[in-house]
Amino acid sequence: MVTPFLKAELTAAVTSLGYTEGNKYFKDQYCLEALKDLIRYLRRDDDTLGIRRELGQMKLVQTNLIPIICEYHSDETLFDVVLRLLVNLTNPTLLLFNEEVPTDKVTRNYYLQHVSHLQSYKPILASDKLWVVLTDKLKLLLVKEPEDRLEDDKLLTERILILIRNILDIPITPEDEKRTDDDASVHDQVLWSMHLSGMEDVIIYLASNENERHFCMHVMEIISLMLREQNPATLAQAAAQRSLAEKQKDTEELVAMVQKESSEREARYKKMTASRSSIFRGTFCVKDVKSISEKNLIVHRTLTDGKPIDFHQNKVAKRKAKNRMPLPNCDVTRKSTLSIRLMLKEFCLQLLNGAYNSLMHIVKDCLIRLKTQDHDETYYLWALKFFMEFNRNSGKFRVELVSETMSVGLFHYIQTQVQTYSESITVDKKKAAVWSRRLHVALRAYQELLMTLNAMDKYGSESIRKSSEVLKSNVFYVPEYRELCLVLLLNYKETQHSLDYLKDLVETNHIFLKLFEQFTKGKRHLIVQNKSKAPQKRKKAKKKKSKSEETSTPPPTFDEIAVEISSALQEQPTLTDDIAPYDAASDLPMDDQKVIAMGKIQQLLKEAKTHLAVALLRTCRDVWPEGEVFGPPEVGPEHELLLLREIFHTDLPSVAGHEPTDDCDGADSDGKEIEQEELAAERSEKELHFEEFIRRFAHKNVARSYCHLLRRYATNTSLTNHCLIKMLHRIAWDCKMPAMMFQLSLFKTFQKIMNDPLAKTDATVKELYKFAIYIMRKFAETAQVNPKIFVELLFWKTASEAVEIEVGYGNVKDPSHSRAVWSEEEEDELERLYHELRDVQDGEGDVADRILANLINQNRNRRAVIKKMKEMGLIMDAKSLAKTKRSVKIRPPKEWGDHEIVELRRIFEEVRGSSDPLALLIDRLPIPRGKNRVRDKIVELGLVQDVKELRKKKVRSAKSAGRKESNRHQSDDEGPREGPAGLTDSELDEESESDDEEEDDESDGEPFKNMKHKESKSKRPKQYGFAMKKTDYFSPEMLAAQLRQLVDDGRKEGLAWLAECLSEALEDREDGECDEAIPLVPLTDCAIASMEDHTFLKFIAKVGLAPPANEQEQFWRIPSTLMAADLRCRIDFLKGASVSDSDGGKSESAERIDDISGNTSAKRLADEPIPLGSHKRRRIVHSESSSSSDAEPQDVEQQEVADPAVVVVETSSTAASTTSRKRFAVLDSSSDDSQ
């Protein structure tokens, strides 16, 4: 809102600009500062445009700005500031309101007020002096070479072009101007001033010059605004004198109006009776119209009033909602005065001859490369339609002038724009009117392309006619181009599309069908492309092989094909064409395709195709060198053999598992879960006849749209009425469906046509009259055999319903609906089969598959059967069927096959010496089985003598065992010693044994149940080949060897980055700023490479960091359970890798790491107790240095033979005890981490 203070400021600034004395304007000494102040005020304008409206009421543009430009245009600084202010004040109102017309009453009033101010500017903006100044400025700027122009010159040129655009864009109000045709409106006056100043030549220069292509969209917009009121056909036929055709047309219009008036007068007088004077009122009975009683209706009226009785005169019309109102027409076309038309005609001819093709090429290139603003393509489409129609009606049609816009690519561009606009109307409903206008522009461009093709067929040159045939063959071949008009007719809605749009759509469809009909004449076989959605063929799952088949042809073991693999590794085998490491057209990510490639290698090995397996392995190594998943680049045959052995024994998904199957259930459009067939667009070729194509227009939506436009037959042009009657005649006569015309609203139109006096004189109305008679006769014939036809008048009818009306209801069978209808006998059969087969679990598939195989009607598909079972209440959804199917698939056989026994023997010999042979054996079995079943089978085969040999072994070093024994001797007199959690040694042993028993006594049922039990027992993520447990605690002695290995492998920088991350987390924990898990985000190349190394990930997992919990997490995290003391000891342990000198050798680095590991372990164990886990035991042996001095040499000797995973170190104590020395040994009963 404009406050009184701000209004006073604006008034003071305007009065400081200058004054007019006579015909000359004199600027004030503070004029420049006042103009700059006004620009600053406009920057502070709000959404109500208060400052702009206030300046409009002060008439700033008329009284100050235009005179300043005209009088002081030589002052470049003043001219630039005034131009900036003028551009700001003349901006389009719709642009200031974000391209949305306000609906609020107050805001809408502000909108209209600003529009009225712009309209008041336009007369003064048509000043000849103003346009001379602007033209001279532009010429001076364009004379300079492009490389010599400054940035200010380009900016000034663009501002002048924008000002011209703003002036021409000011809305036109023919109602307010009250000007007739052949009169000069305000817009015409602006065009005439442009013509006198020579601005037209400057615009044509900008359009034709390749160096000025960055102004192409400004030029295109200015041209469209110049010619927006003109009809291209009328403009092309303009001449200095009126042509005979023009005179004859005006005469015919005048005669038609006179005849219509006289015919109405005669018809009115015929209804009068000559027996009585017309000044007396008469009393009459209306036949076949009942009053309140059962008698005929009585009316009182004079004889002079011979109009029919209308019962709607005193009724109040029902008010329609805004969203149900028909979309109004927005196009304003008028006939300008002759001089303006001749001037514009000359301008269009110059543009066509010298600049059209180059300009359209530049604009199209900018549109494709997205160098323009949003929706600028509408100016391109408008120019295409206008100038091609102008060229076609200019007397001599020349194709070379519009060759740039005559191509198949342009058909494709328009088709995509039409599709985009149609979808936006449905999606963006608030701007549906704007999208509809854009769709109308695109439709007119498509219509003009078809009209130009029709003109090319009549061209004298044979090459032009052949070019037209080539274009038509491409347009009629592609289904998207061929069915464009049909789709638009089916989607027409009165509330979303204007009546002018429907008129243009009907005419476009008429010319398309005319061209198509001419193209098919003389051609017996017309082959076109067909696009259909057909269900993909279901790939049946491979049937389970029986036991005999499995035992008869087992896949070879790796040892059997090892010799062949070794020979293949010495050669250079090549891949065949049907085997590729990856699919470039697949949507799967590369990580998934790596797994699929490994599965292909494994499948080739099991098929004994060793040469192809080796070739595929080496090809995959070249495709995916990162991470060395398929081995390092320079690898020997021995390493490749080990890699192939690992791939052979790894449990990988089958290659066929990645192909689309029918095991998944879909959901229908209503959200109901049903199993649906995957639909894929199939493109094929078929033979098309014109009659077959016409039958597709026999649709109730098409008939409704045509009948809706036929109601305005009196105001339609002759061409429009001819297109309407031709299409209705095709449906009723050619398609033999006159019953589709049996509609009450159409009959009311027929009644108006029959009573129209022009039915006997006008050729178009006479044609409509004949068609109405034909339909009414057909209706009378049908009414004799079908008395329900009178009720059918109230509804629009489909093609099948129209046929049923004539031949009888139920006598027409639609083959497309034959499968959808279930008879009562079929429903009983379905219910019986369901109850019989629902508990059967034999064979492959679920209940639906078994029912489908036993149905009498084999035309049913799986989707229809499931849908019908849901309708009958037999099943709730399709998920239950899928669960049953999966449970059958994963159940292992009860008996062991010979191949399984062979694999069991081989794998057991490989894992016999491991710490947990039973767990490793179960993971590598080809068929997963329960732990108890595998253990019993091993005992049965005699592979072990005692079941205890299969238990998890506890790895202890000689040194730690000696320490444990000495500690037991020392504690014999003191009694049982308490552990870290307050438990004695005997209790610890009992707990460990109970844990082992729990592991041994797990459920030996199906693997699915075991897996479910384990998941419910512990929801821990298992990634990177190891499982994170809550009882894994940091042990520097166990990790010293791994840390040395990482340093030797070049991961020292990664360890330093990890220590830095832990240090930052330590600072946050000590400050109390963060008590949540902190993610580790690698940013440097070294950090990223370390986080991709499997060995590094295993190391940081044992340090205590947590991997991503699920697929929604991406980074590793520092858990919130790690306190400040835990982080500090881990940081000290990791710093041993960073301080090691690269020249110091491996021994110095190892000694430094050992020292750090001992220090951190001692510090952690001295500060706080280690919690006791459910699967791991730890013992802390503590002795003072004074009492164990004799044992130190023995410790050194034990260290030489001890397990390298357990390190015993001596270090100084913490600040709590500075004189004493402590020695710690950590004994870990878990063998997984130590390995």
Side-chain angles (χ1 to χ4, degrees):
M1 296 296 294
V2 179
T3 60
F5 177 77
L6 181 58
K7 186 175 181 180
E9 291 287 334
L10 292 175
T11 304
V14 171
T15 54
S16 300
L17 294 176
Y19 60 93
T20 303
E21 185 174 339
N23 295 328
K24 188 173 179 61
Y25 185 87
F26 297 93
K27 68 173 183 177
D28 195 87
Q29 58 178 344
Y30 303 109
C31 178
L32 184 60
E33 288 74 12
L35 289 171
K36 292 180 179 179
D37 290 340
L38 290 175
I39 293 176
R40 295 190 192 98
Y41 287 135
L42 286 174
R43 291 176 184 171
R44 297 163 50 190
D45 202 1
D46 54 6
D47 295 337
T48 62
L49 309 182
I51 297 177
R52 282 178 171 80
R53 291 186 290 109
E54 191 66 30
L55 295 177
Q57 291 179 359
M58 297 179 183
K59 298 183 179 181
L60 173 66
V61 175
Q62 298 95 315
T63 58
N64 296 97
L65 298 184
I66 300 299
I68 290 175
I69 286 184
C70 296
E71 297 292 338
Y72 299 96
H73 57 83
S74 58
D75 189 347
E76 294 183 359
T77 305
L78 184 61
F79 179 83
D80 183 63
V81 175
V82 175
L83 184 63
R84 287 169 54 192
L85 183 58
L86 195 58
V87 169
N88 200 341
L89 289 175
T90 57
N91 274 330
T93 311
L94 198 62
L95 188 64
L96 297 174
F97 280 90
N98 298 324
E99 297 184 357
E100 291 184 7
V101 178
T103 56
D104 179 60
K105 183 178 179 181
V106 178
T107 313
R108 183 64 177 267
N109 188 23
Y110 295 152
Y111 177 88
L112 296 176
Q113 189 176 358
H114 187 264
V115 170
S116 64
H117 289 321
L118 289 179
Q119 292 173 352
S120 65
Y121 299 160
K122 197 164 187 177
I124 192 62
L125 292 172
S127 172
D128 297 341
K129 293 183 179 180
L130 172 65
W131 286 100
V132 170
V133 171
L134 295 178
T135 305
D136 293 341
K137 285 288 183 180
L138 269 180
K139 287 181 180 179
L140 290 176
L141 294 171
L142 296 176
V143 165
K144 298 179 181 180
E145 294 295 331
E147 58 271 9
D148 296 337
R149 297 177 192 169
L150 302 176
E151 191 65 29
D152 293 340
D153 296 338
K154 297 180 181 179
L155 193 59
L156 183 60
T157 304
E158 190 169 4
R159 283 174 181 164
I160 294 176
L161 294 176
I162 293 175
L163 177 61
I164 298 172
R165 190 277 312 268
N166 291 347
I167 295 173
L168 295 172
D169 190 62
I170 294 176
I172 304 168
T173 55
E175 297 82 5
D176 296 340
E177 293 186 15
K178 297 179 181 179
R179 297 179 185 271
T180 61
D181 288 346
D182 292 328
D183 193 4
S185 63
V186 177
H187 190 73
D188 292 340
Q189 296 174 16
V190 174
L191 295 177
W192 188 251
S193 298
M194 292 177 62
H195 171 65
L196 295 178
S197 63
M199 182 63 73
E200 296 174 351
D201 300 331
V202 177
I203 294 174
I204 293 177
Y205 171 78
L206 289 172
S208 59
N209 195 344
E210 183 71 20
N211 296 328
E212 311 295 342
R213 60 182 305 162
H214 48 282
F215 298 126
C216 62
M217 290 311 304
H218 293 292
V219 174
M220 183 66 71
E221 195 170 358
I222 290 171
I223 293 173
S224 65
L225 293 173
M226 287 175 60
L227 304 171
R228 63 177 176 177
E229 289 185 345
Q230 305 300 322
N231 185 354
T234 305
L235 193 64
Q237 297 171 2
Q241 295 181 354
R242 295 178 62 193
S243 61
L244 296 176
E246 192 174 7
K247 292 180 181 179
Q248 184 178 359
K249 182 180 178 181
D250 294 341
T251 304
E252 289 177 355
E253 291 179 356
L254 182 59
V255 170
M257 294 176 63
V258 173
Q259 287 180 354
K260 181 179 179 180
E261 185 178 359
S262 60
S263 299
E264 291 178 353
R265 189 184 301 111
E266 291 177 3
R268 187 164 57 250
Y269 279 113
K270 283 182 180 179
K271 296 179 180 179
M272 299 180 182
T273 57
S275 61
R276 189 171 181 179
S277 177
S278 60
I279 62 175
F280 299 101
R281 293 177 63 86
T283 302
F284 303 95
C285 293
V286 182
K287 188 177 181 181
D288 297 333
V289 178
K290 301 297 181 182
S291 63
I292 298 177
S293 62
E294 293 298 326
K295 298 181 180 180
N296 292 335
L297 178 65
I298 299 175
V299 295
H300 304 276
R301 64 168 53 185
T302 60
L303 293 177
T304 56
D305 190 6
K307 297 179 181 178
I309 299 175
D310 187 6
F311 295 99
H312 302 284
Q313 291 179 352
N314 298 326
K315 290 182 179 179
V316 179
K318 187 177 180 180
R319 187 175 181 180
K320 286 187 178 182
K322 288 184 179 180
N323 57 350
R324 296 181 181 272
M325 294 287 289
L327 195 66
N329 299 321
C330 299
D331 293 340
V332 178
T333 303
R334 61 182 300 273
K335 192 175 180 180
S336 300
T337 184
L338 183 60
S339 58
I340 299 296
R341 281 185 285 152
L342 293 175
M343 179 266 296
L344 293 177
K345 178 182 178 181
E346 185 65 24
F347 172 77
C348 294
L349 288 174
Q350 292 180 8
L351 189 66
L352 269 176
N353 286 278
Y356 176 79
N357 286 331
S358 60
L359 178 63
M360 298 298 281
H361 175 75
I362 294 172
V363 173
K364 179 70 177 299
D365 182 69
C366 293
L367 291 173
I368 294 176
R369 298 177 183 274
L370 301 178
K371 295 181 179 180
T372 60
Q373 297 179 358
D374 294 339
H375 317 306
D376 278 350
E377 69 277 358
T378 53
Y379 298 109
Y380 175 80
L381 296 174
W382 175 91
L384 184 149
K385 184 262 178 187
F386 186 91
F387 287 102
M388 292 185 71
E389 185 177 357
F390 180 87
N391 180 46
R392 187 168 47 84
N393 293 276
S394 60
K396 186 178 181 180
F397 174 59
R398 297 173 59 186
V399 183
E400 63 273 10
L401 297 180
V402 293
S403 59
E404 178 62 32
T405 53
M406 280 303 298
S407 62
V408 179
L410 195 59
F411 276 95
H412 172 72
Y413 180 77
I414 294 177
Q415 188 269 333
T416 54
Q417 293 300 322
V418 167
Q419 184 178 359
T420 302
Y421 296 152
S422 300
E423 293 173 354
S424 300
I425 291 175
T426 307
V427 175
D428 192 2
K429 294 184 178 180
K430 292 184 178 180
K431 296 184 179 180
V434 179
W435 289 111
S436 179
R437 287 194 290 271
R438 292 169 183 156
L439 175 62
H440 192 186
V441 174
L443 176 65
R444 285 180 170 176
Y446 182 76
Q447 176 188 7
E448 187 52 41
L449 287 179
L450 297 178
M451 297 292 289
T452 305
L453 281 177
N454 187 32
M456 291 172 65
D457 290 338
K458 303 174 184 179
Y459 203 74
S461 175
E462 183 67 22
S463 60
I464 299 298
R465 291 197 296 269
K466 289 183 179 179
S467 300
S468 175
E469 289 293 322
V470 172
L471 287 174
K472 287 191 293 184
S473 63
N474 284 278
V475 171
F476 298 146
Y477 178 78
V478 181
E480 286 81 4
Y481 308 153
R482 189 173 62 248
E483 298 173 359
L484 179 61
C485 294
L486 176 61
V487 172
L488 293 178
L489 283 170
L490 295 178
N491 296 332
Y492 173 78
K493 292 182 180 179
E494 186 181 359
T495 58
Q496 295 179 350
H497 306 90
S498 63
L499 203 60
D500 286 346
Y501 166 81
L502 180 59
K503 180 180 72 68
D504 289 328
L505 179 57
V506 167
E507 294 178 1
T508 305
N509 187 43
H510 175 77
I511 187 62
F512 179 83
L513 293 178
K514 181 180 178 181
L515 291 173
F516 194 27
E517 187 176 13
Q518 293 175 356
F519 186 77
T520 55
K521 283 184 179 179
K523 292 183 175 63
R524 293 185 178 181
H525 305 286
L526 177 62
I527 304 300
V528 298
Q529 192 181 62
N530 182 37
K531 181 182 178 182
S532 61
K533 287 187 177 181
Q536 283 187 342
K537 293 183 179 180
R538 295 179 175 272
K539 295 187 178 181
K540 297 183 179 179
K542 295 182 180 179
K543 295 184 178 180
K544 240 183 200 177
K545 293 184 179 180
S546 61
K547 179 181 176 182
S548 60
E549 292 177 350
E550 290 181 352
T551 56
S552 59
T553 58
T557 62
F558 189 82
D559 297 335
E560 295 175 358
I561 61 175
V563 178
E564 299 179 6
I565 295 175
S566 299
S567 61
L569 290 173
Q570 303 300 327
E571 302 174 1
Q572 296 295 331
T574 58
L575 285 176
T576 57
D577 295 337
D578 57 339
I579 300 177
Y582 68 97
D583 185 6
S586 176
D587 295 334
L588 292 175
M590 278 299 174
D591 292 339
D592 295 345
Q593 296 209 35
K594 287 182 185 179
V595 180
I596 297 175
M598 288 186 181
K600 290 180 181 179
I601 297 174
Q602 186 186 63
Q603 184 178 359
L604 291 173
L605 290 174
K606 292 183 178 180
E607 294 176 359
K609 299 178 180 179
T610 55
H611 285 73
L612 292 177
V614 171
L616 183 58
L617 174 66
R618 293 174 176 175
T619 306
C620 292
R621 186 185 305 140
D622 296 337
V623 174
W624 294 293
E626 63 277 359
E628 298 182 356
V629 179
F630 297 94
E634 297 179 359
V635 61
E638 297 81 6
H639 187 78
E640 286 183 323
L641 182 63
L642 295 176
L643 185 59
L644 288 173
R645 184 185 186 91
E646 184 179 355
I647 293 175
F648 185 85
H649 294 300
T650 304
D651 186 12
L652 295 172
S654 61
V655 179
H658 296 275
E659 297 177 357
T661 60
D662 59 338
D663 294 339
C664 57
D665 298 323
D668 57 3
S669 58
D670 298 333
K672 301 178 181 179
E673 296 176 352
I674 61 174
E675 186 177 30
Q676 61 180 4
E677 297 177 350
E678 295 182 0
L679 300 178
E682 293 184 353
R683 289 188 178 268
S684 58
E685 289 187 345
K686 70 172 184 178
E687 184 179 354
L688 180 64
H689 298 280
F690 181 72
E691 294 77 11
E692 178 185 351
F693 183 71
I694 285 295
R695 291 194 196 99
R696 300 197 60 186
F697 289 87
H699 195 279
K700 62 179 182 180
N701 290 354
V702 177
R704 183 192 294 116
S705 302
Y706 272 76
C707 294
H708 175 68
L709 185 58
L710 188 61
R711 298 175 193 172
R712 281 88 176 170
Y713 78 95
T715 57
N716 292 338
T717 61
S718 299
L719 176 61
T720 304
N721 287 333
H722 172 71
C723 298
L724 289 170
I725 200 63
K726 183 64 176 178
M727 189 69 231
L728 296 178
H729 182 268
R730 290 183 189 274
I731 296 175
W733 177 260
D734 298 346
C735 299
K736 308 299 181 184
M737 294 181 184
M740 290 190 69
M741 305 293 108
F742 298 167
Q743 221 285 331
L744 194 58
S745 61
L746 181 60
F747 281 10
K748 291 182 66 176
T749 306
F750 286 163
Q751 185 182 17
K752 294 180 181 179
I753 293 173
M754 292 178 180
N755 295 330
D756 195 336
L758 297 177
K760 297 180 180 180
T761 57
D762 189 86
T764 305
V765 182
K766 189 183 296 184
E767 192 177 3
L768 295 173
Y769 181 83
K770 291 180 181 179
F771 181 75
I773 293 296
Y774 169 75
I775 295 298
M776 297 305 298
R777 286 176 180 174
K778 285 293 183 180
F779 177 78
E781 294 174 3
T782 308
Q784 294 178 359
V785 296
N786 186 5
K788 299 179 181 178
I789 188 64
F790 299 98
V791 181
E792 297 282 1
L793 286 173
L794 302 175
F795 308 98
W796 294 99
K797 290 157 280 295
T798 61
S800 58
E801 293 169 351
V803 176
E804 285 185 342
I805 288 174
E806 293 187 280
V807 302
Y809 298 103
N811 294 332
V812 179
K813 292 184 178 180
D814 190 356
S816 62
H817 294 81
S818 59
R819 293 195 306 173
V821 180
W822 289 72
S823 62
E824 186 176 354
E825 293 79 8
E826 290 177 328
E827 291 180 355
D828 295 338
E829 179 191 9
L830 179 62
E831 185 176 3
R832 176 179 57 81
L833 289 175
Y834 174 75
H835 291 298
E836 290 178 359
L837 303 175
R838 63 180 177 179
D839 297 328
V840 177
Q841 300 293 339
D842 297 337
E844 189 70 25
D846 53 12
V847 181
D849 295 328
R850 291 189 287 273
I851 291 176
L852 198 61
N854 291 276
L855 279 176
I856 297 176
N857 186 4
Q858 290 297 319
N859 293 328
R860 304 287 182 188
N861 54 23
R862 177 181 172 86
R863 176 179 177 144
V865 171
I866 294 177
K867 185 177 181 180
K868 191 61 182 179
M869 286 194 294
K870 289 177 62 178
E871 292 177 357
M872 296 174 64
L874 300 177
I875 59 174
M876 295 299 295
D877 53 23
K879 286 186 176 181
S880 57
L881 302 177
K883 289 179 181 178
T884 304
K885 192 171 183 179
R886 286 194 293 268
S887 62
V888 173
K889 283 186 175 182
I890 66 174
R891 181 174 296 175
K894 294 182 180 180
E895 299 181 0
W896 288 71
D898 295 341
H899 173 65
E900 288 184 84
I901 295 175
V902 173
E903 287 293 311
L904 178 65
R905 291 178 181 275
R906 183 185 62 78
I907 297 172
F908 182 74
E909 293 299 332
E910 294 178 358
V911 302
R912 179 190 288 272
S914 61
S915 60
D916 193 2
L918 190 59
L920 295 176
L921 177 63
I922 292 174
D923 292 339
R924 295 174 60 178
L925 283 176
I927 299 178
R929 295 182 180 273
K931 180 182 289 187
N932 285 352
R933 292 178 183 247
V934 176
R935 181 175 55 196
D936 295 342
K937 192 64 178 178
I938 292 174
V939 176
E940 179 185 344
L941 295 175
L943 300 179
V944 295
Q945 300 299 327
D946 191 359
V947 183
K948 294 182 179 180
E949 298 180 20
L950 300 176
R951 290 186 179 179
K952 197 173 183 180
K953 298 180 180 60
K954 304 165 186 176
V955 180
R956 297 173 184 171
S957 62
K959 178 180 177 179
S960 60
R963 290 183 175 275
K964 179 178 178 182
E965 189 66 25
S966 62
N967 290 332
R968 285 184 178 178
H969 288 303
Q970 292 175 7
S971 59
D972 287 338
D973 299 333
E974 298 176 1
R977 182 174 53 83
E978 291 186 356
L983 301 178
T984 63
D985 294 341
S986 60
E987 291 173 343
L988 290 173
D989 295 336
E990 291 175 1
E991 183 178 353
S992 176
E993 293 174 0
S994 64
D995 291 341
D996 294 339
E997 291 175 0
E998 288 179 5
E999 292 177 2
D1000 294 339
D1001 295 335
E1002 285 179 352
S1003 174
D1004 59 346
E1006 291 79 12
F1008 180 79
K1009 294 181 180 179
N1010 283 339
M1011 181 176 63
K1012 185 176 181 181
H1013 172 70
K1014 291 178 182 179
E1015 290 177 356
S1016 62
K1017 185 177 180 181
S1018 178
K1019 299 285 185 178
R1020 292 186 291 268
K1022 188 172 183 179
Q1023 298 185 2
Y1024 307 102
F1026 52 86
M1028 289 297 300
K1029 301 178 182 179
K1030 294 181 180 179
T1031 57
D1032 285 349
Y1033 293 97
F1034 177 66
S1035 176
E1037 295 80 11
M1038 299 298 180
L1039 299 180
Q1042 295 187 18
L1043 184 61
R1044 289 195 298 268
Q1045 183 65 30
L1046 289 174
V1047 173
D1048 296 337
D1049 292 342
R1051 296 299 179 192
K1052 186 169 64 175
E1053 295 181 1
L1055 294 172
W1057 165 76
L1058 180 61
E1060 182 181 357
C1061 295
L1062 294 177
S1063 300
E1064 294 176 359
L1066 176 62
E1067 294 177 1
D1068 296 338
R1069 296 283 166 83
E1070 289 177 347
D1071 297 340
E1073 297 177 359
C1074 181
D1075 56 352
E1076 298 178 355
I1078 302 174
L1080 291 176
V1081 183
L1083 299 179
T1084 63
D1085 296 339
C1086 178
I1088 294 173
S1090 299
M1091 295 302 291
E1092 292 177 353
D1093 188 3
H1094 183 78
T1095 306
F1096 188 87
L1097 295 178
K1098 292 182 67 175
F1099 173 79
I1100 65 174
K1102 293 182 180 180
V1103 169
L1105 307 187
N1110 48 45
E1111 63 275 7
Q1112 296 181 356
E1113 294 184 1
Q1114 183 179 0
F1115 302 105
W1116 285 65
R1117 282 169 167 74
I1118 303 174
S1120 58
T1121 56
L1122 293 180
M1123 297 294 103
D1126 298 327
L1127 293 174
R1128 192 178 295 108
C1129 66
R1130 284 162 172 78
I1131 293 169
D1132 296 337
F1133 173 67
L1134 291 174
K1135 285 182 178 179
S1138 61
V1139 300
S1140 61
D1141 190 4
S1142 59
D1143 299 330
K1146 183 176 180 180
S1147 60
E1148 295 179 5
S1149 175
E1151 290 175 3
R1152 175 63 181 169
I1153 293 172
D1154 291 342
D1155 294 342
I1156 296 299
S1157 63
N1159 291 339
T1160 54
S1161 176
K1163 185 175 182 180
R1164 182 180 62 78
L1165 294 173
D1167 291 342
E1168 57 185 14
I1170 301 177
L1172 182 65
S1174 59
H1175 297 283
K1176 185 179 291 186
R1177 292 185 302 162
R1178 288 188 177 156
R1179 303 225 175 170
I1180 306 174
V1181 182
H1182 173 268
S1183 62
E1184 298 290 340
S1185 60
S1186 60
S1187 61
S1188 61
S1189 60
D1190 298 334
E1192 290 178 0
Q1194 184 180 358
D1195 293 341
V1196 175
E1197 295 175 0
Q1198 290 181 356
Q1199 188 176 4
E1200 296 178 356
V1201 296
D1203 192 338
V1206 180
V1207 182
V1208 181
V1209 294
E1210 292 183 5
T1211 180
S1212 58
S1213 63
T1214 58
S1217 177
T1218 59
T1219 58
S1220 62
R1221 297 176 61 84
K1222 298 181 180 179
R1223 182 168 62 248
F1224 297 90
V1226 180
L1227 304 182
D1228 194 338
S1229 63
S1230 175
S1231 60
D1232 292 342
D1233 294 343
S1234 64
Q1235 295 177 353

